[in-house]
Amino acid sequence: MPDLTADRFHAALDVRFSRARREGLGILDVEAGDLHRELGSYPGPDHRMPTCCKAMRDAMKSADRVIAEPPKGNGASLVIRYRLG
């Protein structure tokens, strides 16, 4: 199993942000399930979804918005729209 720390999720987000900026995008929607699948161990018994969701929320700036979230707040369906400009 990969060592899925908050730092790994933050690094994966940074890669996505950089790629989106290079492509000229002004916004980027990130879904927790997609981000976690990219790094491994999801779905599965050893997932780190709470850590993934916390990393996504920690990366938010004032202009960013949660556009979808599960009833308990954290889960694969959490989607955050990041403003890249």
Side-chain angles (χ1 to χ4, degrees):
M1 177 180 113
D3 183 25
L4 294 180
T5 63
D7 288 341
R8 289 275 319 273
F9 288 110
H10 282 288
L13 283 168
D14 287 342
V15 168
R16 286 183 177 209
F17 297 155
S18 294
R19 185 179 324 130
R21 285 186 185 103
R22 278 194 313 271
E23 293 173 5
L25 300 177
I27 62 169
L28 177 67
D29 292 348
V30 178
E31 183 177 3
D34 291 340
L35 180 64
H36 200 321
R37 273 185 211 89
E38 178 182 312
L39 295 179
S41 297
Y42 184 81
D46 296 323
H47 72 82
R48 298 292 183 264
M49 190 56 71
T51 303
C52 177
C53 292
K54 182 173 182 338
M56 288 176 59
R57 290 178 189 279
D58 288 349
M60 291 178 72
K61 307 270 192 280
S62 62
D64 302 333
R65 297 287 174 255
V66 173
I67 59 173
E69 65 185 327
K72 292 185 179 182
N74 287 333
S77 63
L78 173 67
V79 179
I80 296 177
R81 175 166 289 161
Y82 298 96
R83 301 253 175 227
L84 304 174

